[in-house]
Amino acid sequence: MHKPGTATPERFPAQERFAEGAQFVAGRLTKGTSGRTHAVTDPATGEEVLTYELAGREDVDAAVAAARAAFPGWAGATPGERSDALHRFAAVLAERAEDFARAESLQCGKPLKLTREFDVPGTIDNTAFFAGAARHLQGQAAAEYSGDHTSYVRREPIGVIGSIAPWNYPLQMAAWKILPAIAAGNTIVLKPAEMTPLTSLMFARAATDAGLPDGVINIVTGTGKEAGEHLVGHPDVAMTSFTGSTGVGRRVAEIATATVKRLHLELGGKAPFVVFDDADLDAAVNGAVAGALINTGQDCTAATRAYVQRPLYEEFVARTAALMDTVRLGDPFAAGTDLGPLISHVQRDRVAGFVDRARAYARVVTGGEAPQQGDLKRGAYYRPTLVADAPQDSEIVQSEIFGPVLVVLPFDSDDEGIALANDTPYGLAASAWSRDVYRTGRATREIKAGCVWVNDHIPIISEMPHGGYKSSGFGKDMSAYSFEEYTQVKHVMFDNTAVVRKDWHRTIFGDR
């Protein structure tokens, strides 16, 4: 049964908007038809926020049909018309910013200061960016490349996009999937994670309220096995975009390629944080703690492996541990909270398992436990954790933990530091810390990752692309580069000669 939870209006002011269901198809909320329900849970308290009916295959079919029906009109709109609609959309999001921030904090356990200052403003900025980018779908300049013909390139929308977003940044990931797709003239069906559907649904409703046509954005909230796989394999879906773990990404690729779909994957990460011996140690320590703990470490670009050149190693470990110890765990809605819970008790226990197994071969410098007293005991909290001296080939160095855990290892030469940074299957993000422009320049060239920061770690901007190398996937989110994912490139070629018998015809029949 669809029912509200125990969240107060202060924590969840948008609660009444979900009375009609947690599926958004053709411009309205509906109930799922799978016959099963799911509870959105506040990870800070373990209390149910909202129980809703999950989507089944019929709901996916209805959403795809709505997107397919809306496609000709939306694809046929002028770039200026799509741009105007997205500008209105950004304005509606800005008006509802506080509601979005509270809903995101409630379903994810993020501190309210993070959702207010990072997730929500970033999403509004993405929307404003793509409102402008919609008018700048670029191709190669028209010219007479053959001498006898004029060629130019058209960028055309692909059709219905079927996207799947993760639970760690539900609002931002919904925006990253939806905005470039619709700015380019496509329509979309998005499946958010069933644990965190609230802000994706609010995002779609805001788009409709801003005047985007019904069916351009559709949301189906169901399980990956049922709704997700059916969406990826749907014959009327022309492209799949997925963000999530590398393991699930392989399954998505298997289904998508069976139907010869365009595919975009943003997968796991294990970002190295390389500190050379001439780095500003204060900056590196602060950057490591912030980069490792953002979103309680549930970030595929989070700093997870700090490689520190040996002269700075022991002091870096000591100072990083001391700074971690000052980080305040607490209620995400409390003003003094720095770090919230993990998304669930299951995820907290998974993170704890990595750390507990590492005790056999590494040193847990600080953290390494869940709070056992007070209100925090009820939630999925885990203390900021620093692990030192683990072998490079160990599980805690090689595997994605997705929690507030930073592993620190020493290195001697620059060659060794860069080699260690590249020594995992992943390649999503990295950072290099040094005052020497030649050292950092080499690091940016030789570290195999889709983003390499210099003397910082984490900031993203709408104008620049986000995407990985190796097992971190392929394709780009954000920026004008994302249009390469969401458009078909068509070459158009005009004969300029009006000659009936072309010279090249002799290669097929007759003589010169």
Side-chain angles (χ1 to χ4, degrees), residues 233-287:
H234 200 288
D236 291 334
V237 169
M239 173 185 164
T240 291
S241 177
F242 170 79
T243 296
S245 72
T246 298
V248 177
R250 292 191 184 99
R251 175 59 179 159
V252 169
E254 178 184 344
I255 298 169
T257 53
T259 51
V260 197
K261 286 178 169 54
R262 179 83 66 90
L263 185 60
H264 169 216
L265 299 175
E266 198 263 271
L267 306 177
K270 190 71 177 175
F273 186 100
V274 183
V275 182
F276 295 99
D277 58 13
D278 66 336
D280 182 327
L281 188 57
D282 285 336
V285 167
N286 280 273

Side-chain angles (χ1 to χ4, degrees), residues 100 104 107 119-120 123 169-176 199-200 203:
F100 275 100
E104 193 80 335
Q107 67 180 350
D119 298 68
V120 175
T123 299
Y169 288 102
L171 177 60
Q172 286 197 308
M173 294 298 100
W176 287 16
T199 49
S200 298
F203 191 73

